[in-house]
Amino acid sequence: MVDQVFALMGWILAFGIVGGGAIAAIARFVSRDSINYDREFLWGNRYTLEELELKEHD
C-alpha cells in the first residue's frame, strides 16, 4: 500500500513538472512574440493622450 502511494506521488510530481514546463515555455513564447507586435503597433499608431482619453480632465 505504501509503495502505491509513493508511486502515485511520483506520477503526480512527474506530470506537474512536465505540465509546468510546457506552460512556462508557452508563456515565454507568447510574451516574446507579443512584445514586437506591441512595439510595432505603438510606433505605427502614435496617439496623443487626448485621443486615448488618458489625460485627466480638470
Side-chain angles (χ1 to χ4, degrees), residues 22-39:
I23 291 171
I26 291 170
R28 185 174 178 142
F29 173 76
V30 168
S31 69
R32 283 186 175 197
D33 188 46
S34 66
I35 289 172
N36 290 332
Y37 175 76
D38 291 343
R39 287 182 187 160

Side-chain angles (χ1 to χ4, degrees), residues 8-53:
L8 178 62
M9 287 173 33
W11 279 107
I12 291 171
L13 182 64
F15 280 121
I17 291 171
V18 170
I23 291 171
I26 291 170
R28 185 174 178 142
F29 173 76
V30 168
S31 69
R32 283 186 175 197
D33 188 46
S34 66
I35 289 172
N36 290 332
Y37 175 76
D38 291 343
R39 287 182 187 160
E40 182 179 333
F41 177 79
L42 291 174
W43 185 254
N45 301 296
R46 294 181 218 138
Y47 298 108
T48 63
L49 291 177
E50 290 83 9
E51 290 173 333
L52 293 173
E53 298 180 352

